[in-house]
Amino acid sequence: MKAIFIILGFLFTIIGVIGVILPILPTTPFLLIASFCFMKGSDKLNNWFKSTKLYKNNLESFDKNRSMTFKTKAVILGFATIMLLIPFITVPVLPMRIFIIVLIILKYYFFIFKIKTVKPEKKRKTVLVEE
């Protein structure tokens, strides 16, 4: 079972990296899943993943203090809403449509009220001073 989590971790990491390059594909949700898979699959790979720049740039603030930037929230919400609207439009079953609407409402509630919004950290340049 651990091998499956490790394979899924790498798969979702690759998809997350593609999301960094392609603006249409969100990075954060896939990296969250990758982090979960590495955590379940291997302590060594979990520590490696958490030391990568990819993790630090996209997930570290969420992992440490359950917060995200507004941009990250907007990208995740936008992508997830589009993905949920596709079956909402294409499936003419009323109970399914009601379920999707409830799911969208819960998702927005969670992201707006349960995850703190923080300002993006400015990248600081380190200046070496010789004495």
Side-chain angles (χ1 to χ4, degrees):
M1 193 63 177
K2 288 187 177 210
I4 292 171
F5 279 117
I6 292 169
I7 292 167
L8 288 173
F10 281 113
L11 176 69
F12 286 116
T13 301
I14 291 167
I15 295 171
V17 169
I18 294 169
V20 170
I21 299 165
L22 296 175
I24 193 168
L25 189 65
T27 302
T28 308
F30 293 111
L31 295 181
L32 281 170
I33 297 169
S35 179
F36 173 80
C37 290
F38 284 133
M39 183 180 66
K40 292 288 188 180
S42 164
D43 288 337
K44 185 177 178 181
L45 287 173
N46 186 40
N47 292 334
W48 164 78
F49 182 70
K50 288 186 175 183
S51 70
T52 64
K53 191 174 183 180
L54 187 65
Y55 173 85
K56 290 180 181 183
N57 288 345
N58 293 287
L59 295 178
E60 191 170 48
S61 69
F62 179 77
D63 190 28
K64 286 186 177 179
N65 53 12
R66 305 275 300 168
S67 64
M68 291 182 181
T69 63
F70 178 78
K71 180 183 176 185
T72 302
K73 282 184 173 185
V75 169
I76 293 171
L77 286 171
F79 181 76
T81 301
I82 290 169
M83 291 294 110
L84 287 170
L85 286 176
I86 292 170
F88 180 82
I89 293 168
T90 59
V91 177
V93 179
L94 183 61
M96 179 60 91
R97 286 184 171 184
I98 292 170
F99 175 75
I100 291 171
I101 289 171
V102 169
L103 193 61
I104 289 172
I105 291 169
L106 289 173
K107 176 177 55 100
Y108 274 87
Y109 171 79
F110 182 77
F111 271 79
I112 292 170
F113 297 109
K114 297 295 182 183
I115 298 175
K116 185 171 65 170
T117 304
V118 294
K119 294 185 180 185
E121 292 182 16
K122 303 262 185 191
K123 301 284 184 199
R124 288 188 242 164
K125 291 183 180 179
T126 306
V127 179
L128 296 175
V129 179
E130 293 182 26
E131 294 182 30

